Amino acid sequence: MQDDDRLNRFRSEIRAWLEENCPAEMRDGRITDDAICWGGKNWEFSSDAQRSWLERAAARGLTVPRWPAEYGGAGLSRAEEKIFLEEMERINARPPLKSFGISMLGPAMLQFGTPEQKRHYLPQIARGEIRWCQGYSEPGAGSDLASVQTRGEDMGDHWLVNGQKIWTSYADKADWIFALIRTDREAPKHKGISFLLIDMDDPGVTTRPIRLISGASPFCETFFDNVKVPKDRIVGEANRGWDVAKYLLTHEREMISSGGTGLSGGRALGAVMAQMAGEPSAQDPVLRAAAIRCEVDALATGLTIERYKDMAEAGKGVGNASAMLKYMGTELNKRRHELIMSACGSAALEWDGPVGNRAADWLRTKANSIEGGTSEVMLTILARRVLGLPGA
Amino acid sequence: MDKLVKSEDEAMLADNARGFLDEAAPVRALRDLRDAGRTHDPALWRRICDMGWAGVLIPEDAGGADMGHAAAGVLAHEMGRTLACTPFLSSAVIAATILRRIGGERAKSAMAAIAAGELTHALAIDEAHKFAPEATAMTAERHGNGFRLSGKKCFVVDGGFADRLLVLARTGEEGLTLFDLPADRAGITRTAQGMIDSRDAARIAFENVEATGDDVLGQVGGAMTALKPGLEAGQAALAAEMSGLAAGAFDMTVGYLKDRKQFGQPIGSFQALQHRAAHLWCEIEVTASAILNAGRVLDTDPNEATLAVSLAKARATSTAQLAVMEGVQMHGGIGMTDEYDMGFYMKRARVGSEWLGDYGYHAEQVAALRGM
Ligand SMILES: Cc1cc2nc3c(=O)[nH]c(=O)nc-3n(C[C@H](O)[C@H](O)[C@H](O)COP(=O)(O)OP(=O)(O)OC[C@H]3O[C@@H](n4cnc5c(N)ncnc54)[C@H](O)[C@@H]3O)c2cc1C
């Protein structure tokens, strides 16, 4: 009861705060890449509203609601964070900031970083000052990520890094990269990797954009040519980077999976069906049946995300659960966008046509079951680690 | 609302239930019952009532344990795991919930009789081959001070042996009325249906059956006031039973994948089967969330539970069907034999899918409530 009172008070506070601080232009529920602020040194704000929304949210710790206040967060409990998100959804607010620093590096640094590193890097992420990208995949190391070959030679006070990453999302826009670098070539493959932090402005770092099927070009090849990385720019111990990498992946997978059920994604299909009410697709019983089935699965998947968070909070081990959520959430999201395309019919076949850029969104979801570990890799993880089935 | 995690009490209840059922009601017991040509095991139900399970939804002042719908779901899940053959859903969940909603001294003594295992009830609703309570055609004509019931019901689960029948009938212009009748009242004829799941169900004919105002549950024309919560409680518990059934079939299957060898290795080392099994596990996990949520919503906000309940029943139906299909497939030939237990799971999954509304019925409920 006392808890309820406290949470109700928190709700009124946050509601009042949002009322006062979230600019009207930021209340259109848009979550596409062009609508949301990703931050970084080179970020060009699309409007004054976008800038002040970021600044106000960051000042209140609400770009990273659950991080401790000393690192730029608001120190919210999960129940409070849920209320914050509900209140955001109520007014259709865009998130003030989105970044790989928030969803990937931050959680790993909170777990593995030194106190100095946390104090230095985390507030910059929270305020949207530094934008990070993820240097995991290489041409020869995709699903078999632990076979990365980009190498870092120990030169005493620094590592000398040479090699190539690929599929590095936003490498051309990022300020820094966190990368898996082989620092011991003799050790077994999981035991010779370090998790290094590299400034994209350092001499020897270059990027080359790659065009996607959606026409956008959000990811790159990233090259390291005799890049000097000082010894303190490492998270965790040397050659123990795989532990950090795996931990980060669980957060990345949760982030990707929630795309299928999260704030706006979960309502997208119903909204499109409603929008198409007068159109022929709304009368198509086959489409309607598939849409309803998708809705049933989306609601249950959303509850599962809740349940797993509740379990984690109750201290019940949910190791490898992120693989399940990643697999189910992304496959669901792909299904949903197929249905959205069907509901829109030929109206969705133009780039930026009468129903917006549905085609680009649809194409983008195809990557959900690849990035962060493919669906097949998720199923193998579950089969081995949860079901205890034997290796081949 | 309570969290979507089993409470300590619920976890303990599940452990105790599992221990008891593995010993007292393994699938073997259902097989023996079937081979003996019976559809009900009074001795098992007696033991279950002695443990207090029949009173799970009955208030303490009526001799129940009043543990709530999430707890009833925990018990139903465990009973589903071993396919325990009991009237738990008909009597302890559906009838108990209806009587509780009706309230009053008579309902209280009826609940006490359910909790003590002295009476069993069955719900007589279906008339055609799909669940559609609103389409009820059976009539209850006013006659003197009372009513005369005429019509036919089918798929009355546990109706072959129940002591009392809860009967839905149409009263002229007034609408649907729920009657609570002794099963041996003059004019009632019960015919056993030979069900594929070896459980009890009956076809029941009503020929000018006399009923008094005392036999009416709630208001004339107001059946749904008490019936709706009863149905929703039953649907949620049936969903929980089916999730237990899916888990039981799944455990057998994973066990088999580890034991059975072909090409010199356990078949569970083949990635094609690993991925099928892992996918099935994911579906079971997602459905588990919908089931627990339905129990929680019924316990906290019972008048707004339709979405949660229909979501649970829809998901449980599709997951149980997948679990038994994959179960048979991954067992190969042995899965098709009567000697092996998987067939019992498959047949119960089919019956559970139809009972109290199939996938389509519940998915439409979800769609309507989501404005689709
Ligand atoms: C849009 C997008 C953004 C990305 N962003 C980043 C980023 O920012 N940083 C980064 O480091 N990486 C990023 N990636 C890369 C992504 O993590 C890899 O693409 C992914 O891990 C798969 O590797 P791969 O492409 O080499 O495919 P492969 O590993 O070659 O896989 C090809 C196919 O084989 C299957 N397969 C492979 N191994 C097995 C196995 N053992 N059993 C069964 N099937 C198997 C896969 O499931 C897949 O279907 C991004 C990818 C995309 C599409």
Side-chain angles (χ1 to χ4, degrees), chain A residues 134 136-137 142-143 167-169 219 367 370-372 374 376, chain B residues 271:
Chain A
Q134 177 190 35
Y136 275 29
S137 307
S143 297
W167 321 129
T168 327
S169 294
F219 63 10
I370 299 171
E371 58 198 332
T374 68
E376 291 71 29
Chain B
Q271 201 185 50

Side-chain angles (χ1 to χ4, degrees), chain A residues 50-127:
Chain A
Q50 194 185 52
R51 178 197 296 273
S52 62
W53 180 215
L54 171 63
E55 287 171 356
R56 291 173 194 175
R60 184 76 155 64
L62 290 172
T63 53
V64 283
R66 298 217 51 199
W67 291 11
E70 56 175 326
Y71 305 135
L76 301 192
S77 67
R78 195 169 92 68
E80 289 167 339
E81 183 201 29
K82 203 172 151 202
I83 289 175
F84 170 60
L85 294 175
E86 283 166 6
E87 290 302 314
M88 291 269 288
E89 186 178 9
R90 203 177 60 81
I91 62 166
N92 251 328
R94 300 185 196 173
L97 178 67
K98 187 172 161 180
S99 76
F100 296 161
I102 293 176
S103 56
M104 297 191 218
L105 180 61
M109 196 168 274
L110 281 167
Q111 180 80 8
F112 292 96
T114 63
E116 297 75 45
Q117 285 176 328
K118 293 184 203 175
R119 276 196 297 274
H120 179 71
Y121 293 104
L122 294 177
Q124 295 178 334
I125 292 173
R127 292 193 298 263

Side-chain angles (χ1 to χ4, degrees), chain A residues 100 104 133-145 165-170 212 218-219 252 364 366-377 380, chain B residues 271 275:
Chain A
F100 296 161
M104 297 191 218
C133 63
Q134 177 190 35
Y136 275 29
S137 307
E138 296 179 6
S143 297
D144 184 12
L145 182 60
K165 296 290 173 181
I166 196 167
W167 321 129
T168 327
S169 294
Y170 309 116
L212 282 180
F219 63 10
E252 178 180 5
R364 180 62 183 80
K366 300 304 178 208
N368 294 163
S369 51
I370 299 171
E371 58 198 332
T374 68
S375 285
E376 291 71 29
V377 168
T380 299
Chain B
Q271 201 185 50
H275 284 192

